[in-house]
């Protein structure tokens, strides 16, 4: 089990290295460095830090209970890194990308994703010019906190409703992705309200831009997550609570 998980993690790391060395323009869904007014950048950091602390506590608990989960955690982190680094230009001049958080949400819950997401966002800001340090709090809240929480709630509701497991996985990954963009749109709308229609009008404009490309991407991410989850299940590599 551990050997196979290490191979999967190394494969994800290899894909990440390829993304680093392939030339690309620094367009991104993550809010870029210096784009938010200082007061909003600080406010999102203040909100994100407690979530990060809770995630660290949860992460330590998981590792203490079963140290073998380290490799599976690394696999989830690599999955988030690779998918969220796949920046796809939209017709509006902005970019969209998957988030990859659904798998970690299902396996370990939303708390851990705050830590994995923070690590991914930090590396992407430093190495890929994707996002930024001042805006990491805002990007962390959208992709690593609120999106995963929604995905987790959807996963639990799907399980309680008796949905097929693959349907629950698909809905979790897809809606966690879409929620990330919904929150980002609100973050931008609050920081840059429309002169005539205010925060609501501005947020709706950002949502319209993102939705053109993000809806099909979210569907594709949901299908990919189902495939990965199915392969892990067939090889009996998942924790008992996630099967």
């Amino acid at each position: 089990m551990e050997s196979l998980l290490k191979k999967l993690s190394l494969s994800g790391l290899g894909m990440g290295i390829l993304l680093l060395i392939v030339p690309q323009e620094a367009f991104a869904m993550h809010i870029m460095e210096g784009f938010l007014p200082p007061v909003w950048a600080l406010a999102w950091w203040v909100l994100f830090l407690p979530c990060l602390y809770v995630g660290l506590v949860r992460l330590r608990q998981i590792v203490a209970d079963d140290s073998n989960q380290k490799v599976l955690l690394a696999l989830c982190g690599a999955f988030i890194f690779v998918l969220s680094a796949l920046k796809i230009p939209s017709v509006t001049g902005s970019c969209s990308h998957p988030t990859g958080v659904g798998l970690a949400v299902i396996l370990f819950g939303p708390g851990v994703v705050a830590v994995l997401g923070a690590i991914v966002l930090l590396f992407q800001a430093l190495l890929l010019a994707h996002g930024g340090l001042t805006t990491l709090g805002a990007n962390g809240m959208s992709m690593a906190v609120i999106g995963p929480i929604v995905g987790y709630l959807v996963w639990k509701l799907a399980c309680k409703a008796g949905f097929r497991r693959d349907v629950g996985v698909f809905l979790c990954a897809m809606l966690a992705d879409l929620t990330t963009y919904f929150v980002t749109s609100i973050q931008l709308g609050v920081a840059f309200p429309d002169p005539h229609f205010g925060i609501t009008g501005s947020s709706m404009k950002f949502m319209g831009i993102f939705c053109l490309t993000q809806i099909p991407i979210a569907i594709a991410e949901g299908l990919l997550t189902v495939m990965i989850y199915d392969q892990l299940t067939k090889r009996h590599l998942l924790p008992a609570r996630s099967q």
Side-chain angles (χ1 to χ4, degrees):
M1 168 181 174
E2 187 171 352
S3 175
L4 180 57
L5 284 173
K6 285 182 178 179
K7 290 180 181 178
L8 291 172
S9 297
L10 289 174
S11 297
L13 179 60
M15 292 178 67
I17 293 174
L18 286 176
L19 287 169
L20 292 179
I21 62 177
V22 174
Q24 55 184 326
E25 295 184 52
F27 294 114
M29 180 285 297
H30 298 330
I31 302 174
M32 67 181 181
E33 181 67 62
F35 190 73
L36 289 178
V39 63
W40 285 111
L42 178 61
W44 289 111
W45 260 113
V46 169
L47 291 174
F48 182 57
L49 286 175
C51 300
L52 188 58
Y53 174 77
V54 171
L56 286 170
V57 172
R58 176 60 181 149
L59 184 61
R60 290 182 60 184
Q61 181 183 2
I62 291 173
V63 174
D65 292 342
D66 185 1
S67 60
N68 292 326
Q69 295 303 313
K70 291 179 182 178
V71 181
L72 194 55
L73 283 164
L75 173 63
C76 290
F79 189 65
I80 295 172
F81 179 84
V82 172
L83 261 66
S84 61
L86 298 174
K87 296 169 283 187
I88 303 171
S90 71
V91 296
T92 58
S94 64
C95 275
S96 296
H97 64 72
T99 62
V101 300
L103 183 65
V105 166
I106 293 169
L107 300 188
F108 299 107
V112 171
V113 185
V115 180
L116 297 179
I119 296 172
V120 166
L121 289 167
L122 177 62
F123 273 88
Q124 289 180 348
L126 295 176
L127 302 177
L128 298 178
H130 191 189
L133 297 180
T134 61
T135 57
L136 196 152
N139 293 324
M141 284 300 298
S142 61
M143 191 182 94
V145 176
I146 301 177
I149 288 175
V150 171
Y152 182 75
L153 293 175
V154 170
W155 167 250
K156 287 299 184 182
L157 288 173
C159 291
K160 288 184 178 180
F163 287 6
R164 284 176 41 180
R165 191 55 54 95
D166 55 352
V167 174
V169 172
F170 173 79
L171 292 175
C172 171
M174 181 186 70
L175 293 177
D177 181 302
L178 291 177
T179 300
T180 296
Y181 282 82
F182 176 79
V183 174
T184 300
S185 298
I186 293 177
Q187 290 172 328
L188 293 173
V190 169
F192 305 102
D194 184 271
H196 302 291
F197 301 103
I199 294 173
T200 301
S202 181
S203 298
M204 292 300 294
K205 288 180 181 178
F206 283 113
M207 287 180 198
I209 292 172
F210 285 136
C211 283
L212 293 174
T213 49
Q214 197 56 34
I215 290 177
I217 288 175
I219 294 173
E221 179 180 346
L223 294 173
L224 177 61
T225 306
V226 169
M227 293 172 60
I228 299 296
Y229 183 90
D230 183 59
Q231 290 301 311
L232 292 174
T233 302
K234 287 180 178 179
R235 289 164 174 75
H236 306 289
L237 301 176
L238 298 184
R241 66 181 180 277
S242 300
Q243 297 182 12

